[in-house]
Amino acid sequence: MQVIVLLCSSAHAAGGSLCQVGIRGAISGLWLNTGNLIRRFTMSCGTGSTSSLGSGSGGGRRTVEFGRTHVVKPKGKHQATIVWLHGLGDKGSSWSQLLETLPLPNIKWICPTAPVRPIALFGGFPSTAWFDVTDLSEDAATDLEGLDCSAAHVANLLSTEPPEIKLGVGGFSMGAAVALYSATCCVVGKYSNGDPYPVNISAAVGLSGWLPCAKDLHNKLQQSQGALKRAEMMPLLLCHGKVDDVVIYKHGEKSAQALESTGFANMTFKSYKGLGHYTIPEETEDVCRWLTGKLGLEGRRS
């Protein structure tokens, strides 16, 4: 029997028994919560589907139920919309509370909640997760169907934004993995299952995460017309704490190296001494500065 040890912070959250490693003091980045997190949002992620949410060839369909989506409206002129994805076991409301406090009045934030699914890392115990994982690293076995389904959900949330609005995706931990995967799908022009990627991402941010399918990225870029040029132009920000004991630092560093070596020349990697698997004001300030510059936002609140 596999034994799973979850590191619990001293922060207290009401509403159930939670193990959390996340935003220090209030908002978690890794929650294990068996409570009722799900508001039914049904989408088809089955094989053989002809919709944008399909998962490649084969026979059979799978229904995935995403949880509640939280939206933080822009407090100034709406210039950009970013889908922000939480970490393993968390929910969208946790990050919407933090994002609402950032001095970025021109951004609309969309914070969805992942489906509840059995997780191999937890010995099959169910948790909110964007895809199944055996390990939190770029070397882990890849649940391509789950990745494609979550990336399609992100694209669907962005697809209804006005054409003049710049689109972005970001996330923490497992959410960062989906954000970076979505950016590579945008560059390649399709999901791993071959379905076309439908929206144009202008920026992607990954905090304390990793790049799924890193070993396959070079071949994907070579096989897609125009992908190398798009990779060169895609703005990416990766941030990682040097003492992260959940997604260890070397995995974030290796992901940044994989992106840089495959032609993502507009990629920035920032490391933070003493930072574990959570975020701190120094990191969020870097994210705010980076987004303001890369998205050409008019101004920030002081």
Side-chain angles (χ1 to χ4, degrees):
M1 177 183 228
Q2 186 178 14
V3 178
I4 304 298
V5 178
L6 296 178
L7 302 176
C8 297
S9 77
S10 59
H12 175 74
S17 174
L18 302 173
C19 287
Q20 59 185 38
V21 182
I23 303 173
R24 178 174 289 175
I27 304 172
S28 76
L30 175 61
W31 280 8
L32 180 60
N33 184 4
T34 57
N36 181 23
L37 301 179
I38 292 299
R39 178 173 63 87
R40 296 175 77 88
F41 181 102
T42 303
M43 57 191 290
S44 296
C45 294
T47 56
S49 172
T50 57
S51 76
S52 63
L53 305 178
S55 293
S57 60
R61 297 175 64 85
R62 186 179 69 172
T63 299
V64 175
E65 297 174 357
F66 286 84
R68 182 178 177 183
T69 296
H70 299 263
V71 176
V72 178
K73 296 180 180 180
K75 297 175 175 63
K77 178 183 177 182
H78 184 196
Q79 293 181 281
T81 296
I82 297 177
V83 171
W84 190 270
L85 305 169
H86 62 74
L88 176 60
D90 204 352
K91 52 186 177 179
S93 60
S94 297
W95 279 93
S96 67
Q97 294 168 37
L98 172 68
L99 297 170
E100 192 167 17
T101 69
L102 297 183
L104 296 170
N106 307 116
I107 294 180
K108 170 185 174 182
W109 301 94
I110 302 176
C111 303
T113 299
V116 172
R117 65 178 83 220
I119 301 300
L121 179 66
F122 296 160
F125 196 87
S127 178
T128 53
W130 301 110
F131 54 96
D132 192 16
V133 285
T134 57
D135 186 25
L136 301 182
S137 78
E138 81 285 355
D139 297 322
T142 304
D143 173 18
L144 288 176
E145 184 177 5
L147 276 167
D148 278 348
C149 191
S150 290
H153 186 53
V154 170
N156 183 56
L157 290 170
L158 291 171
S159 65
T160 57
E161 293 300 297
E164 72 277 8
I165 299 301
K166 293 180 179 178
L167 307 178
V169 60
F172 176 82
S173 193
M174 177 182 274
V178 176
L180 296 176
Y181 178 75
S182 296
T184 61
C185 288
C186 177
V187 165
V188 174
K190 59 185 178 182
Y191 302 98
S192 290
N193 62 32
D195 290 345
Y197 192 79
V199 297
N200 182 34
I201 291 177
S202 297
V205 178
L207 309 184
S208 304
W210 71 96
L211 174 65
C213 310
K215 294 177 181 177
D216 303 325
L217 185 56
H218 175 76
N219 288 338
K220 287 182 178 180
L221 293 172
Q222 294 293 331
Q223 294 167 10
S224 177
Q225 186 176 5
L228 290 174
K229 185 64 175 177
R230 290 191 294 271
E232 185 179 353
M233 301 296 292
M234 173 67 76
L236 300 176
L237 174 64
L238 281 67
C239 301
H240 219 106
K242 287 202 168 184
V243 294
D244 192 328
D245 55 358
V246 178
V247 182
I248 61 176
Y249 176 77
K250 76 171 185 179
H251 296 313
E253 187 177 43
K254 286 173 66 177
S255 294
Q257 291 169 351
L259 288 163
E260 187 174 36
S261 67
T262 50
F264 285 82
N266 200 6
M267 190 271 303
T268 301
F269 180 66
K270 287 186 168 291
S271 60
Y272 300 86
K273 184 178 180 180
L275 178 62
H277 200 64
Y278 47 85
T279 191
I280 54 176
E282 179 186 354
E283 185 180 47
T284 55
E285 177 66 23
D286 286 340
V287 171
C288 290
R289 268 196 304 265
W290 187 86
L291 286 172
T292 298
K294 295 299 181 181
L295 296 177
L297 303 180
E298 289 184 356
R300 296 172 51 188
R301 298 197 317 269
S302 58

